[in-house]
Amino acid sequence: MNSRRDFLQKLTASAIAIPLLSSVRAWNEPIHSADNPQGSVLRVALMGLGGYASIVAEAMQKCKRAKISGLISGTPAKLNEWGTKYNVPEKNRYNYETFDDIKNNPDIDVVYVTTPNALHHDQVIRVARAGKHAISEKPMALNAKDAQEMVDACSEAGVKLLVGYRMHFEPKTLEVIRMRSEGEFGKIMFFQGQSGFRIGDPNQWRLNKALAGGGSLMDIGIYAINGARYMVGEEPIWVTAQETKTDTVKFKEGVDETIQFQMGFPSGAVASCLSTYNMNYLDRFYLNGEKGFAELQPSTGYGPIKGRTNKGELTQPHITHQTLQMDAMAGIILDGHAPAVPVDGAEGVKDLKIIDAIYAACASGKRQELNI
Ligand code: NAD
């Protein structure tokens, strides 16, 4: 049997739910014009022209199915510079006051929101009310309640909401998920996720609770949370967590420096994770089952991702993550493709429910039950 189809069929039986298999097609299979009468290229407006938008914009130059068609920024000079560089006409450039007018612009299908975390909620809702699809960067909001409001607003407006989970399209990651879902590691017992880096400039928005919503957990620890879910293939039912802070000047009240957290899954598997803004070289996933193991290190950086299992090195090619992601998202938005691991708003809400519970566990010192 076709191994990808086999993989997708197995996934339906796991905790990662995907829609009807009859509508499932690999994101990189060729698109036939009859499938996509509106056009086969996703026209993307980038909102928030900062560091990550620059990476997405460069990566999109190699996309086959997505192109930059609009720009939204509060800085006129950036709109000019990016507009010239990426050939975006003035009529498709907006600022934060004018971008609701995008509803009258037939050149734009989707707005990719890459602003600081606290802004995603209102901006995505405005995009939805303008009748455009939205992609929100992670974390999609500051808490699960806000994230759910975004899902509801997009649903009411009849538009799609995706979250920028680029690892969900990364070939070595997908191979580990395939192996796990086909039982090659046996019953999963344990996951370890270590996600961190040493943060620089003390004045950046990532260290401002109002804009970031927290600290390392919101920004980098979310990779260990999300990774635990797709590596184990289940949703956690409880968390415990402990916070340590060595620098109370840099990491103010509400901005976590380091959090260790543990999760339990319905099968009995457990996860042990570390999220930090105070250590470098911390980007590693380890999955242990009764019959084998998988290790990814680095596991979520921009790559190349490296990994091995009990069967040997993972040899899938490195392709720029954001190129893969945007081509795949074109398939999801334009053609209704279902990715092997979901990237929709509901997926983002789940991570935020876990984040809410981890912060609650740090504050109370008590185990938090989860219902995801
Ligand atoms: P950044 O500071 O480099 O860029 C943020 C942009 O938002 C800037 O252009 C800034 O001018 C603009 N902005 C608009 N309103 C603002 C306001 N009120 N305050 C501050 N800036 C404002 O940040 P970044 O690293 O590009 O991160 C942006 C988002 O992307 C975050 O949500 C982050 O978590 C996410 N991100 C995701 C990845 C990934 O791999 N998926 C990587 C990096 C960042």
Side-chain angles (χ1 to χ4, degrees), residues 47-56 72-75 78 82 96 112-120 123 136-140 164-167 204-206 208 211 218-220 222-223 277 300-302 321-322 325:
M47 178 189 288
L49 307 181
Y52 194 59
S54 308
I55 289 168
V56 171
I72 301 156
S73 169
T75 312
K78 277 195 209 170
W82 286 52
Y96 294 106
Y112 193 161
V113 177
T114 60
T115 51
N117 307 342
L119 308 180
H120 301 170
Q123 289 168 342
S136 169
E137 252 319 312
K138 42 60 54 179
M140 67 187 276
Y165 287 123
R166 62 188 159 77
M167 301 316 297
Q204 62 186 288
W205 67 260
R206 281 182 167 77
N208 173 344
L211 283 171
M218 299 296 286
D219 189 38
I220 190 78
I222 191 171
Y223 285 96
Y277 264 161
T300 65
Y302 296 150
H321 297 173
Q322 296 80 6
Q325 173 198 327

Side-chain angles (χ1 to χ4, degrees), residues 123-366:
Q123 289 168 342
V124 162
I125 290 175
R126 280 172 67 185
V127 167
R129 289 182 181 156
K132 302 294 179 180
H133 304 295
I135 305 170
S136 169
E137 252 319 312
K138 42 60 54 179
M140 67 187 276
L142 302 190
N143 54 59
K145 178 182 155 290
D146 286 1
Q148 187 59 50
E149 284 175 8
M150 295 157 75
V151 170
D152 294 343
C154 289
S155 162
E156 274 161 33
V159 298
K160 289 186 179 154
L161 170 57
L162 306 183
V163 183
Y165 287 123
R166 62 188 159 77
M167 301 316 297
H168 294 200
F169 308 103
E170 195 281 316
K172 293 187 181 73
T173 304
L174 287 177
E175 174 60 5
V176 171
I177 295 170
R178 183 198 65 75
M179 291 176 73
R180 184 263 302 147
S181 70
E182 295 189 354
E184 294 188 29
F185 305 129
K187 179 175 157 48
I188 298 302
M189 306 298 291
F190 178 67
F191 171 79
Q192 187 178 43
Q194 298 166 334
S195 301
F197 64 95
R198 211 174 150 82
I199 200 160
D201 178 9
N203 298 316
Q204 62 186 288
W205 67 260
R206 281 182 167 77
L207 296 172
N208 173 344
K209 182 173 164 56
L211 283 171
S216 76
L217 190 68
M218 299 296 286
D219 189 38
I220 190 78
I222 191 171
Y223 285 96
I225 294 168
N226 191 252
R229 294 176 48 238
Y230 63 67
M231 296 284 278
V232 174
E234 297 176 52
E235 301 300 354
I237 52 176
W238 57 259
V239 298
T240 50
Q242 308 80 36
E243 180 176 1
T244 48
K245 197 174 280 202
T246 63
D247 184 343
T248 52
V249 177
K250 192 169 190 177
F251 304 102
K252 299 188 174 56
E253 183 66 31
V255 179
D256 54 282
E257 175 185 321
T258 300
I259 293 181
Q260 296 184 70
F261 57 96
Q262 303 77 37
M263 296 189 275
F265 297 87
S267 65
V270 288
S272 170
C273 302
L274 180 68
S275 164
T276 185
Y277 264 161
N278 201 18
M279 293 172 226
N280 281 334
Y281 313 111
L282 210 63
D283 183 6
R284 180 174 179 268
F285 286 176
Y286 177 74
L287 184 72
N288 184 274
E290 281 183 347
K291 292 198 314 203
F293 71 89
E295 181 184 46
L296 296 171
Q297 185 180 23
S299 56
T300 65
Y302 296 150
I305 301 302
K306 291 193 180 138
R308 66 193 176 112
T309 72
N310 53 297
K311 294 183 175 170
E313 294 291 316
L314 293 167
T315 56
Q316 288 69 24
H318 169 68
I319 303 168
T320 303
H321 297 173
Q322 296 80 6
T323 308
L324 280 177
Q325 173 198 327
M326 294 310 291
D327 273 341
M329 287 187 167
I332 294 167
I333 291 173
L334 295 176
D335 306 321
H337 285 183
V341 187
V343 287
D344 57 8
E347 172 78 3
V349 172
K350 290 177 183 176
D351 284 342
L352 280 157
K353 283 185 177 172
I354 298 169
I355 286 177
D356 288 349
I358 291 172
Y359 282 135
C362 287
S364 68
K366 295 200 176 108

